[in-house]
Amino acid sequence: MKPIALTIAGSDPSGGAGIQADLKTFHQFGVYGQAVITLLTVQNTQNVFDVQVLKPGFVVAQIQAILDDIPPQAAKTGALGTVEVVEAVADMAQHFTFPLVVDPVMISKHGAPLIAAEARTALLEKLLPHARLVMPNLHEAAALTGLTVETRDQMEAAARSIFDACGCNVLVKGGHLAGVAMDLLLLDGKALHEFPAERIDTLHTHGTGCTYSAAVTAGLALGLPLPQAVRSAKEFITEAIRTNPGLGQGCGPVNHHARNHLYNE
């Protein structure tokens, strides 16, 4: 049976982020992709011009339709938009029989807000307790914890704070750290795994978080243990950034056709 992964996220018409990036990534890992849309954006590589969040009931109906017919082996969330959508997805997630990866998307690469400020509490208190993994970047880790997150030790402190609050595994992404691009995984509140990678000097990093979390989700759908799923995803996103196609007049997308060690057509 072909592995199946679900993304619950927003739409990026320029194709670099959101469900478009997720579905491309799933495909590149040999995983059948499904997509529940939470919000629509008007954006390109230069700016986000508008965001329209869908009604919570419509989001729930999409999820239920998938669960009733083709349930996935893993799922992820991206931009959710409002408290109401976060709570609606959280209500569904408590019944998921498959692992959930949460990418706590808060702002776009261009600085546009993609979740209401008051929804952060709902994210931490209601959705994350049902997640296998949450993947905040430094800014998102700081927003979720109220801590300063600028160093490796502060990443660990933030990860432990999030685990203490919700009990899920935490991968703090260090893409904005000085020096090596090192991510830190806190597994079961105990073991720490570091995932360093070369820092690539490029403007074209649009959709990096979406693509990375989709790659982790694909790995889980393939049955990989979490640390291995993160490692394969880290290798993929590093190569995707390194080989970016240079599209657009602004912050362009990564290369969703990058090779990976798990599957290549």
Side-chain angles (χ1 to χ4, degrees):
M1 180 178 176
K2 193 174 185 67
I4 301 163
L6 166 65
T7 173
I8 305 169
S11 170
D12 170 12
S14 72
I19 61 165
Q20 289 83 351
D22 295 341
L23 291 174
K24 293 174 188 177
T25 302
F26 292 162
H27 181 81
Q28 194 65 3
F29 276 75
V31 173
Y32 179 82
Q34 303 171 312
V36 165
I37 300 176
T38 57
L39 56 86
L40 304 173
T41 68
V42 178
Q43 67 174 296
N44 54 29
T45 65
Q46 297 177 286
N47 206 349
V48 176
F49 303 97
D50 197 9
V51 178
Q52 297 290 331
V53 182
L54 300 185
K55 294 181 179 179
F58 192 75
V59 174
V60 167
Q62 292 179 78
I63 298 172
Q64 191 61 58
I66 288 170
L67 298 182
D68 289 345
D69 189 31
I70 313 177
Q73 276 79 55
K76 64 156 284 188
T77 62
L80 298 177
T82 64
V83 172
E84 292 78 14
V85 172
V86 172
E87 292 177 342
V89 173
D91 286 343
M92 297 294 289
Q94 66 181 312
H95 304 294
F96 288 174
T97 57
F98 44 84
L100 175 67
V101 174
V102 174
D103 179 11
V105 180
M106 295 183 183
I107 61 172
S108 74
K109 190 69 69 176
H110 314 293
L114 295 175
I115 190 170
E118 61 271 18
R120 296 173 185 172
T121 300
L123 197 69
L124 188 65
E125 296 180 354
K126 298 190 176 182
L127 182 58
L128 294 191
H130 305 298
R132 174 72 60 83
L133 177 70
V134 61
M135 298 178 57
N137 59 28
L138 299 186
H139 168 81
E140 291 158 350
L144 288 171
T145 63
L147 302 173
T148 298
V149 188
E150 297 175 348
T151 68
R152 187 266 181 215
D153 288 346
Q154 290 171 343
M155 290 167 67
E156 180 180 344
R160 294 191 183 282
S161 176
I162 294 171
F163 177 82
D164 289 343
C166 64
C168 77
N169 299 302
V170 185
L171 179 69
V172 181
K173 300 176 293 186
H176 296 98
L177 285 176
V180 173
M182 193 274 292
D183 303 335
L184 187 66
L185 172 65
L186 177 64
L187 188 65
D188 298 326
K190 299 175 183 177
L192 288 169
H193 299 261
E194 294 186 359
F195 300 90
E198 63 177 312
R199 181 168 300 284
I200 299 165
D201 185 17
T202 178
L203 174 66
H204 300 299
T205 57
H206 180 56
T208 300
C210 303
T211 303
Y212 191 0
S213 57
V216 173
T217 306
L220 293 176
L222 289 164
L224 297 182
L226 183 56
Q228 188 177 344
V230 172
R231 186 171 302 282
S232 67
K234 178 70 170 180
E235 292 171 352
F236 176 73
I237 191 59
T238 300
E239 181 67 7
I241 295 171
R242 187 184 70 79
T243 60
N244 73 79
L247 298 175
Q249 300 177 60
C251 179
V254 300
N255 176 22
H256 293 104
H257 296 115
R259 293 182 64 83
N260 66 79
H261 300 303
L262 294 178
Y263 177 90
N264 282 288
E265 294 185 313

